[in-house]
Amino acid sequence: MFDKLLIANRGEIACRIMETARRMGVRTVAVYSEADAGSRHVAMADEGWLIGPAAAAESYLVADKILEVAKSSGAGAIHPGYGFLSENAAFAEACEDAGIIFVGPTADAIRAMGLKDAAKAIMQKAKVPVVPGYHDEDQSPDVLKQAAADIGYPVLIKAVAGGGGKGMRQVHAESDFDEALEGAMRESKAAFGDDRVLIEKYLTKPRHIEIQVFGDKAGNAVHLFERDCSLQRRHQKVVEEAPAPDMPLALREQMGAAAVKAAEAIGYVGAGTVEFIVDVTNGLDGAEFFFMEMNTRLQVEHPVTEMITGYDLVEWQLRVAAGEDLPVGQDEISINGHAIEVRLYAEAPANNFLPSTGTLSRLRFGATGPHVRVDTGVREGDQVSIHYDPMIAKMIVWDRDRSSALRRLRVALADCQIAGLNSNTAFLIRVAAHPAFIDGELDTGFIERHAADLIPETGGVPYRVLVLAALDQVLRRAVDARHMATKSNDPHSPWAQVNGWVMNDDAHEVLRFADGDEEIAVTVHYQTNGYIIDMPGGSVRARGEIDVEGNLIANIDGVRSIAAVVKEGQLITVMSHGSAQRLTLHDPLEVGDMEDGGSGAITAPMFGKIVQVMAMPGDVVEKDMPLVILEAMKMEHTLCAPENGVVAEVNVVAGDQIDDGAVLVSFEEKE
Ligand code: ADP
Ligand code: ADP
Ligand code: MG
């Protein structure tokens, strides 16, 4: 075994690989881009080397730089993770030439499976069933169109170099063919530098079932059963599980054998996944399955296989790469229980799953252990940027059977607190609670078919959320006030009065929230033992405290519950039961941000885009005058003058992307 491993990747997969390397006593070398200098994967590694600017094309995809670091750092092997250089045959070859072990298959095996058309031809020869279709050289539009007609509509046009669901188009009628072909070619050219396509019969009710395979240098090959990855949006996986629900034993054996045959056909070494599509029009019993593609790397969803087999696949990868034989034979591998993985993405399900960026102002998970595993590459305070994949974390649950695992999943998701950007947490909870999903009625159309049930409605903040937001606000002020009083050495100051922010007969204050365009006034009455909170449509008795974790322990009309409320500028995120609701609070005490108390400035409360700038240098402005409109997280935020003054500099124009904390407008010094 080598002493030192370089991980040519970032994010959760880099962290996950390092965990195993550390457990095995192998030192780790991280590489990172400028954008990732403060990232978790760099902090976890024994050493970290800067390889270039944020853009992957100038850092994580630059084979030469990574090889140079491997040589300089004395790494004996490189693990490419998934994505980036993991399926790059030239890189695998360059590693070999440099005398560094590439943790993966040979360059030839990567090449054989890299293009979907060539892979299908190899599989056909090995007598593995492939999706009926056209995958020949001739790419003239007429030939392709004729092929589509011969196959029979609907068809699927796929980029031969495709991956990650890109370069794919469904075509339901001949009249749509030309346009779809152009689209697929354009997307494929842009993403993969190759515009060749193949055409397949489009199965209208399929399940995506894939087999994990493993080979070693001695020529042994085994499979580690199947994963069902049918829950997809945009042909990308969101939920994966093992074993596949209701998988007939005979089908499992047939598919496992076919996958091993596929691996053997190319002398496969290391971890690989053979993806099949299964026609479930008449259920899974006796269903036909077809080879789709082989991914010659560790797959995102490999943890579900680890949970049901008890093996660490990264350990297997490292051992096999170092020349060891597979630790067990096929007969020794068995399935124990059921595992489900969900991908927590920074995205907005209600906005067609549009990726979201921003700072993770809160990122907490519930307890992890034998039943719940969380693989992540980010920590609270980190950014999800435009440069890389918007996956925040993978949550994997395990239990003795599927319904128990699903229960674990619902609980674990409800314990997630994610703020600062949109996440699909609430969407995933709805999936995990959906009767059809619980019944195992899976196919790749599931999300689209049940979208109305699964996509959380936007707007209309529930009553309970308003109470939590108001309660948190008054509790925090009380804490701040006490803190200020302690600091000022005057515990008897009126600021120290927990119930005294506004001291009049009926001590109360009005909080003005906005939920989109809707203004909501909430009146909080201070009582000796808590508050009475009046909202449009009702009032409740509430009390609570903020614990050391920053959680809000709320008691509303006698019912105790835990939530978390995060405030960034005027934006408030209320997290409870896995949902994250946003409100804005018009806080007269916190208009804009002040810089060091001296010269005033407006700083960006979060990552976003400038929509409009209403200030010019030299402008005389009054306190609270709106000066900049910022769009962040799909909401507009008005930033106002912190006090009366004169504008010194305006550093932004409409359309600028700005970072959290950037100074947008500064003011002239006052004498
Ligand atoms: P999986 O089946 O593991 O989800 P995908 O093909 O969807 O596999 O992609 C896994 C990861 O690799 C994702 O992070 C995706 O963005 C990345 N990826 C896939 N194909 C490519 C490619 N051709 N170039 C760069 N990254 C890719
Ligand atoms: P990628 O390389 O982008 O992962 P795949 O060939 O693996 O491309 O296909 C991605 C997804 O598209 C599959 O998981 C499946 O949901 C869908 N798909 C692929 N081929 C077909 C087909 N012939 N009929 C219906 N759906 C398909
Ligand atoms: Mg695929």
Side-chain angles (χ1 to χ4, degrees):
M1 180 66 54
F2 32 84
D3 288 344
K4 220 182 215 189
L5 174 70
L6 183 149
I7 297 98
N9 215 301
R10 63 180 301 285
E12 67 88 15
I13 196 61
C15 298
R16 188 259 165 275
I17 293 164
M18 286 181 210
E19 260 159 38
T20 291
R22 174 169 303 167
R23 191 172 50 68
M24 293 173 67
V26 173
R27 289 199 157 276
T28 55
V29 180
V31 290
Y32 66 95
S33 72
E34 281 162 13
D36 275 337
S39 289
R40 181 164 186 260
H41 83 277
V42 184
M44 268 182 76
D46 292 309
E47 48 192 283
W49 297 62
L50 177 67
I51 50 168
E58 296 174 57
S59 50
Y60 297 106
L61 285 169
V62 185
D64 291 347
K65 277 191 205 164
I66 291 170
L67 273 169
E68 227 174 80
V69 172
K71 285 180 209 153
S72 316
S73 65
I78 298 182
H79 195 308
Y82 55 71
F84 297 132
L85 295 169
S86 63
E87 294 179 278
N88 185 316
F91 181 64
E93 224 153 45
C95 288
E96 207 175 311
D97 293 345
I100 292 166
I101 296 169
F102 174 78
V103 181
T106 60
D108 286 344
I110 297 176
R111 249 179 227 122
M113 289 297 165
L115 297 176
K116 290 188 207 292
D117 53 350
K120 285 178 76 176
I122 293 171
M123 289 305 108
Q124 263 177 325
K125 241 168 86 189
K127 303 260 178 303
V128 175
V130 303
V131 188
Y134 173 90
H135 43 90
D136 286 348
E137 292 282 305
D138 194 339
Q139 293 281 310
S140 57
D142 291 344
V143 171
L144 293 170
K145 199 169 181 171
Q146 186 55 48
D150 293 345
I151 294 163
Y153 287 93
V155 300
L156 188 64
I157 305 177
K158 275 188 194 177
V160 301
K166 289 190 206 89
M168 230 183 259
R169 289 287 188 283
Q170 293 171 26
V171 195
H172 292 272
E174 191 167 70
S175 54
D176 301 334
F177 186 85
D178 297 336
E179 200 186 322
L181 178 65
E182 271 173 39
M185 289 174 70
R186 206 168 42 233
E187 202 169 291
S188 173
K189 184 85 195 168
F192 314 107
D194 182 338
D195 64 3
R196 285 174 299 156
V197 298
L198 58 83
I199 298 173
E200 282 180 2
K201 177 80 197 156
Y202 182 71
L203 305 182
T204 47
K205 202 177 177 205
R207 266 165 74 172
H208 173 122
I209 299 180
E210 59 185 33
I211 308 284
Q212 175 72 54
V213 293
F214 235 104
D216 64 21
K217 290 178 182 170
N220 304 302
V222 297
H223 71 82
L224 292 99
F225 306 105
E226 78 278 3
R227 293 184 285 256
D228 190 308
C229 313
S230 298
L231 256 69
Q232 307 183 344
R233 45 123 188 74
R234 275 192 249 110
H235 301 300
Q236 281 174 349
K237 301 158 188 164
V238 188
V239 180
E240 300 107 340
E241 53 187 306
D246 305 316
M247 184 77 168
L249 212 61
L251 187 60
R252 172 173 296 145
E253 277 168 10
Q254 280 172 39
M255 289 180 69
V260 170
K261 207 154 56 173
E264 284 169 346
I266 54 167
Y268 199 79
V269 175
T273 295
V274 183
E275 295 191 334
F276 293 100
I277 192 152
V278 184
D279 189 347
V280 292
T281 320
N282 301 308
L284 256 191
D285 262 319
E288 273 192 289
F289 64 90
F290 306 99
F291 170 85
M292 231 174 359
E293 64 163 343
M294 180 167 184
N295 292 324
T296 53
R297 56 170 160 86
L298 190 67
Q299 199 96 331
V300 176
E301 58 275 19
H302 76 277
V304 290
T305 301
E306 297 185 321
M307 301 288 263
I308 60 155
T309 60
Y311 300 119
D312 178 333
L313 296 188
V314 173
E315 177 178 345
W316 281 31
Q317 283 191 297
L318 299 184
R319 292 197 183 285
V320 163
E324 293 181 31
D325 289 354
L326 287 174
V328 296
Q330 189 71 61
D331 293 347
E332 293 163 84
I333 307 170
S334 60
I335 298 177
N336 175 26
H338 197 95
I340 306 174
E341 171 181 288
V342 294
R343 301 190 188 187
L344 284 158
Y345 275 113
E347 66 181 18
N351 197 358
N352 201 16
F353 300 96
L354 190 76
S356 175
T357 57
T359 301
L360 287 158
S361 52
R362 189 144 177 115
L363 179 64
R364 306 279 171 97
F365 301 103
T368 56
H371 291 282
V372 182
R373 162 174 167 184
V374 175
D375 284 12
T376 183
V378 285
R379 298 150 302 191
E380 192 165 289
D382 286 350
Q383 283 217 357
V384 174
S385 75
I386 48 170
H387 302 293
Y388 313 109
D389 197 279
M391 192 163 75
I392 300 167
K394 306 189 300 208
M395 177 171 275
I396 308 104
V397 295
W398 176 90
D399 213 315
R400 55 199 292 182
D401 53 41
R402 187 169 186 263
S403 76
S404 309
L406 275 170
R407 181 169 42 76
R408 298 263 179 205
L409 180 62
R410 289 190 291 268
V411 172
L413 281 169
D415 285 344
C416 289
Q417 296 175 351
I418 302 178
L421 36 67
N422 291 301
S423 92
N424 63 346
T425 317
F427 167 82
L428 293 171
I429 291 178
R430 286 169 179 237
V431 170
H434 198 282
F437 184 65
I438 291 171
D439 283 349
E441 288 170 23
L442 306 182
D443 66 84
T444 59
F446 184 93
I447 289 178
E448 216 175 295
R449 185 162 65 248
H450 296 292
D453 301 336
L454 301 176
I455 296 180
E457 56 282 336
T458 51
V461 167
Y463 197 72
R464 189 169 165 275
V465 168
L466 266 183
V467 177
L468 292 170
L471 184 60
D472 186 82
Q473 179 69 10
V474 291
L475 287 171
R476 275 182 203 279
R477 280 192 188 160
V479 171
D480 288 349
R482 249 178 281 148
H483 186 70
M484 255 157 78
T486 320
K487 264 200 343 205
S488 73
N489 280 331
D490 177 11
H492 304 296
S493 134
W495 300 94
Q497 300 296 317
V498 175
N499 62 344
W501 191 259
V502 177
M503 284 168 295
N504 50 27
D505 291 344
D506 163 26
H508 73 273
E509 78 175 291
V510 180
L511 300 173
R512 290 183 199 286
F513 292 100
D515 171 20
D517 292 338
E518 195 194 347
E519 297 265 345
I520 311 164
V522 174
T523 308
V524 180
H525 301 270
Y526 292 78
Q527 309 279 296
T528 36
N529 185 18
Y531 310 91
I532 289 177
I533 300 180
D534 288 337
M535 286 156 299
S539 90
V540 295
R541 186 172 282 279
R543 60 193 158 82
E545 60 179 302
I546 311 281
D547 74 6
V548 286
E549 297 282 309
N551 289 313
L552 167 62
I553 317 294
N555 187 309
I556 301 169
D557 282 339
V559 181
R560 182 182 179 278
S561 64
I562 300 182
V565 181
V566 170
K567 195 158 170 266
E568 302 146 87
Q570 302 187 342
L571 183 73
I572 290 183
T573 308
V574 180
M575 287 156 281
S576 80
H577 306 321
S579 85
Q581 306 265 353
R582 291 201 193 116
L583 287 166
T584 43
L585 174 67
H586 294 304
D587 186 345
L589 296 166
E590 285 179 38
V591 187
D593 275 359
M594 294 288 286
E595 236 196 4
D596 297 328
S599 65
I602 296 180
T603 58
M606 65 201 100
F607 179 90
K609 192 173 138 191
I610 302 295
V611 177
Q612 200 184 338
V613 181
M614 293 88 92
M616 298 241 293
D619 280 0
V620 177
V621 296
E622 276 172 37
K623 185 173 182 319
D624 293 350
M625 208 183 243
L627 300 184
V628 179
I629 298 178
L630 172 72
E631 187 203 279
M633 299 175 275
K634 307 293 148 226
M635 285 175 68
E636 290 192 356
H637 309 274
T638 305
L639 307 177
C640 305
E643 55 189 302
N644 297 347
V646 179
V647 175
E649 279 175 53
V650 177
N651 302 322
V652 287
V653 294
D656 284 358
Q657 285 284 351
I658 45 102
D659 272 337
D660 193 4
V663 175
L664 310 179
V665 178
S666 62
F667 300 93
E668 283 178 9
E669 299 266 359
K670 284 205 201 122
E671 278 86 83

